[in-house]
Each structure stands twice: as structure tokens, then as C-alpha cells.
Amino acid sequence: CGASFGFNLAGAGAGGGAMDRRAVVALWEIHFLYHGTARARAGWAGRAGELSSRDDDAARAGRGARDAMGGTVADGVCDVVAMGERGILPAPTRGDRAQSRRDGNVAQSVEQLAIRCADALVAALGSQSGISKSQVSRICQEIDQQVQAFLARPLESSSYAYVYLDATYLKGRLGKALQVCSRAVVVAMGVNADGRRELLGIKVGDSETETFWAEFISHLKERGLDGVKLVISDAHSGLTKAIRRQLQGCVWQRCRVHFARNLLQTVPKAQQEMVAAALRSVFTQQSCSAVEEQWDQVAAMLTGKFPKAAELMASAREDVLAFRHFPHQHWRKLWSTNLLERVNEEIKRRTRVVGIFPNDAAITRLVGAVLLEQHEHWQLEGRRMFSAESMATIPELGDTPALQALSA
């Protein structure tokens, strides 16, 4: 975490001067980790091994915050070691030194030591250094402004031929009784005309109803979402109805991964591996006609023993195979929501330390900050999901009878 590197927190509040966003985010994470519930702190400390093995983002945020405020990682490591020598933190054990020699990474060993001593470290660098909850609250307001500006930014500057929609669920408190409920967090990702990914927005609500999804998509359209030709999502009834209402004229691609799960539910467990392999063979074909032919062969093969599976394949044929009408080099990234699922996994990983959010605003703040960070990383990375030339070859919906029928 940010505090584990010993940078000065006294100037973080009023009068501390302008702060880099990375520093603000790091301090806000400290607010959740250390001013939150004992359960959150205990859960975070108990997962120290998992966090360190997966490049602990809290520690990374701390390093970024220290760099943003004028310090260096090396200075921060020395600060932690010095605190151990002064008795504020226990000195590294023989096991710590042995692990450090094996890993050849002193900084990682110091981070692991700081994780185990989190409460003692905060007592030394949090309360005693002058930062208060009110100061952290003012910092949170600064984060809110940046997150809201990101989530409300205009989208007219580019058209988005491909839009991915998906949802994940987090725990939050709701109502006067502060009952812990499952909160739906829906995320939209688009591919612009240059072939670059952009995170378009999020919304927090009770469940994935048609009304909820319709409000979310309508808000995206109000911000300028336009030029959508293909929407990739699962087959949730509320989502599909909202797509037909709000994005009329576009094609819907049903996620092949979610469809495979639904298909296997209609097959005995002993036969599921065989059916899954047969279904995968459809997506190894290299031409539109070969894809259609292989799909029909698999459905015919299942008709005798598994009529329900064959019926499901017949009804979902056009939705699952909608990708075939678009450029071949795009197929692998169009036939599922895996690209957006990776973003949802990152959201889950970054929110795991919180456990239960106090309200929906807190969910929007943290998830919005995570998406803003990911969005900026994509922009700075400079990599394209698809080439601009291939994006220019996407057919218009009215150019081919097949696409016209799918969008009707």
C-alpha cells in the first residue's frame, strides 16, 4: 500500500498543493484499507501471499504515489527498513532474508513485511503523521470529480462499430437497515473507428432488468454513442430486450462461451466433453460457409440422442454465428465477451480488499477509478485491437441481405 513506503502524508489535505491522480488514488485506497472495518483489514492481510504473487496493486499504487510526490521507490524501501530498525516495525526475520536471497528482490520482501504489519504501519504513518479522515474525504471528492468527468465525457468524437456489454456483481449495503445486497455493476466497452478499445461507462443497480439496461444504453446514446453495428453480450433476457429497444438496426452477437454453458446444461455430464469439443470445431473454420456447414452438422449429430441440445442450436444459430458477417480477422475477438470479462476480473480483484461497500456511490468511485486507469493505460499503450484498415472494411448493415435480416 502507499503507506508501506513511508512517504509523507502530512501535506495530503488542504494546503498540501496539487497532487497527481496516482497519489490521490493511493491515499483513497489507504482510506478503505485502514479506516475501514477490521474484517476488511483482516481479509486483506490474510490474502497477502496471493496479492504479492499477483503484483499487489495496492503496493504499486503506493510506488506511483511516492513517485508523483517527488520521492523514489528506493527511498521508500529504506524508510521501511529504518522503521524496522527503530522498532516501529519488526525487523525482517531469518525467513524473510532467506526468501529475499532466493527471489533476488529486496523490495518485494519489504512489501510482504509491511503487509504483515499493516496496522502498526498505519499507526506510525497515518494517524501520527497528521492525516485525518476529513482530509481523506476531501481527497475522495477530488477523485469523484475525475471519475464523473470520465464517465460523462462526450462520445461524439468517434463512431463505435463494436460494443461489448456485460455485468459483474459486488456486495454493498442498501436502505436504512444497511442490509448487505448483491449490486449489479454493468460495464460497456467500445471499439472506435481507429480500432482502439475504450471503456464507455458503468452503472450500478439492483439487477439486470430491461429497464436498468435500457437506462444505461440510453445514457450512452445521450453522450453521443453512434455508429454501432454489432453488440456482443450474453443472452440475459433484460439485456437483449434493451438492445432491441435502444440499439435498433444493429446486429447482436451472442457470446459463444455463455452459449456453450447453456448448451451443456441440456446434455448428461458424461457426454458434455464430447459435445463441447464438437461445438468448438465450429469456431475453427476459416470461411463463412464452412462455419455454417459445421454448425449444421453438429446440430444434426445431436438430434438423435440430445434433442433439447439440437433444438437450442437451431434457435440460436444466427445469434451465435453473427460474427461471420464481419471481417475474418475480427472473428476471434467478436464471438465472445472475453475481452470485457478480463476487465470484470480486474474489477473483482481490485475490489476484493473492500469486501462490502457502504453504498452505491462508493462502488462507482472505486470501479470508476479502476476503469479510468485501464482506459488511460490502453490509450498510452498505443496498441490497436483491430487495424484502422480492417475497421474500414466493416460492411454497412444494408449492404448484405443477411445483415439486413439480422438487424430487423
Side-chain angles (χ1 to χ4, degrees):
C1 68
S4 66
F5 285 90
F7 54 81
N8 182 20
L9 302 180
M19 297 179 62
D20 188 270
R21 184 178 61 81
R22 294 174 299 168
V24 176
V25 171
L27 291 178
W28 187 78
E29 289 181 351
I30 293 170
H31 172 68
F32 259 101
L33 290 174
Y34 300 118
H35 294 290
T37 63
R39 178 185 298 178
R41 292 197 301 271
W44 180 69
R47 284 188 290 270
E50 175 189 353
L51 291 172
S52 61
S53 65
R54 297 180 62 180
D55 186 19
D56 180 9
D57 280 307
R60 184 173 61 188
R63 291 195 295 271
R66 183 172 181 84
D67 292 339
M69 299 172 73
T72 65
V73 175
D75 294 337
V77 172
C78 293
D79 291 343
V80 174
V81 173
M83 281 186 285
E85 294 174 350
R86 294 198 303 269
I88 298 176
L89 292 177
T93 64
R94 181 178 300 176
D96 292 327
R97 295 190 182 96
Q99 182 66 36
S100 176
R101 287 193 296 270
R102 287 193 298 270
D103 294 344
N105 190 342
V106 178
Q108 183 177 357
S109 297
V110 175
E111 289 174 13
Q112 292 172 351
L113 174 63
I115 288 173
R116 293 201 307 271
C117 306
D119 289 331
L121 189 59
V122 170
L125 296 179
S127 301
Q128 296 177 11
S129 63
I131 189 169
S132 64
K133 293 184 179 180
S134 61
Q135 289 173 320
V136 174
S137 296
R138 287 194 292 271
I139 294 171
C140 289
Q141 292 178 2
E142 194 172 321
I143 296 178
D144 285 337
Q145 294 176 0
Q146 297 187 28
V147 169
Q148 292 303 321
F150 168 67
L151 297 179
R153 73 189 190 280
L155 302 176
E156 296 100 342
S157 59
S158 176
S159 60
Y160 299 88
Y162 303 139
V163 172
Y164 297 76
L165 298 173
D166 200 10
T168 187
Y169 285 83
L170 303 175
K171 296 293 184 181
R173 299 189 182 275
L174 189 65
K176 295 182 178 179
L178 298 179
Q179 183 179 1
V180 178
C181 303
S182 184
R183 308 297 293 158
V185 181
V186 297
V187 184
M189 182 182 78
V191 181
N192 62 26
D194 292 332
R196 302 181 191 275
R197 289 175 289 179
E198 293 187 23
L199 290 166
L200 304 180
I202 60 169
K203 185 176 177 64
V204 183
D206 298 330
S207 61
E208 296 181 73
T209 62
E210 178 185 353
T211 302
F212 177 64
W213 273 112
E215 291 176 355
F216 177 56
I217 298 174
S218 176
H219 178 62
L220 294 177
K221 292 171 63 179
E222 290 174 0
R223 290 168 49 200
L225 178 65
D226 193 18
V228 180
K229 297 178 181 177
L230 181 68
V231 180
I232 304 97
S233 74
D234 59 26
H236 192 283
S237 60
L239 174 54
T240 55
K241 292 178 182 178
I243 291 173
R244 294 189 183 98
R245 279 184 53 194
Q246 297 294 328
L247 296 173
Q248 296 179 2
C250 73
V251 179
W252 174 55
Q253 166 66 45
R254 182 173 180 175
C255 175
R256 57 165 284 195
V257 177
H258 290 84
F259 172 75
R261 295 172 187 164
N262 297 335
L263 182 67
L264 295 182
Q265 290 176 356
T266 65
V267 177
K269 188 172 183 180
Q271 307 296 326
Q272 287 183 357
E273 185 175 351
M274 179 272 293
V275 173
L279 180 62
R280 286 195 298 270
S281 69
V282 174
F283 302 95
T284 62
Q285 308 305 312
Q286 299 301 311
S287 66
C288 178
S289 59
V291 167
E292 296 172 349
E293 182 179 352
Q294 184 65 18
W295 180 278
D296 294 337
Q297 289 181 2
V298 173
M301 179 189 71
L302 298 178
T303 303
K305 288 187 176 181
F306 313 114
K308 290 185 178 180
E311 182 180 352
L312 179 59
M313 288 194 67
S315 63
R317 182 180 187 271
E318 293 303 323
D319 297 332
V320 180
L321 301 184
F323 67 88
R324 72 190 190 279
H325 300 295
F326 293 85
H328 180 269
Q329 57 266 46
H330 297 182
W331 284 9
R332 295 183 63 84
K333 296 179 180 179
L334 293 183
W335 58 37
S336 74
T337 59
N338 283 353
L339 293 174
L340 190 50
E341 292 286 356
R342 295 191 188 102
V343 176
N344 287 340
E345 288 176 4
E346 180 68 8
I347 292 173
K348 286 283 192 180
R349 188 171 72 87
R350 298 288 289 273
T351 58
R352 195 178 297 140
V353 296
V354 179
I356 300 173
F357 286 85
N359 49 48
D360 287 353
I363 296 176
T364 302
R365 180 183 300 123
L366 181 53
V367 175
V370 171
L371 295 188
L372 174 57
E373 180 184 9
Q374 182 64 70
H375 179 83
E376 291 180 345
H377 172 71
W378 287 343
Q379 304 309 307
L380 294 174
E381 188 181 32
R383 292 177 56 188
R384 286 184 169 91
M385 185 173 170
F386 307 117
S387 67
E389 293 77 13
S390 66
M391 292 296 293
T393 64
I394 298 176
E396 295 294 334
L397 297 180
D399 289 348
T400 62
L403 280 176
Q404 201 169 16
L406 284 174
S407 62

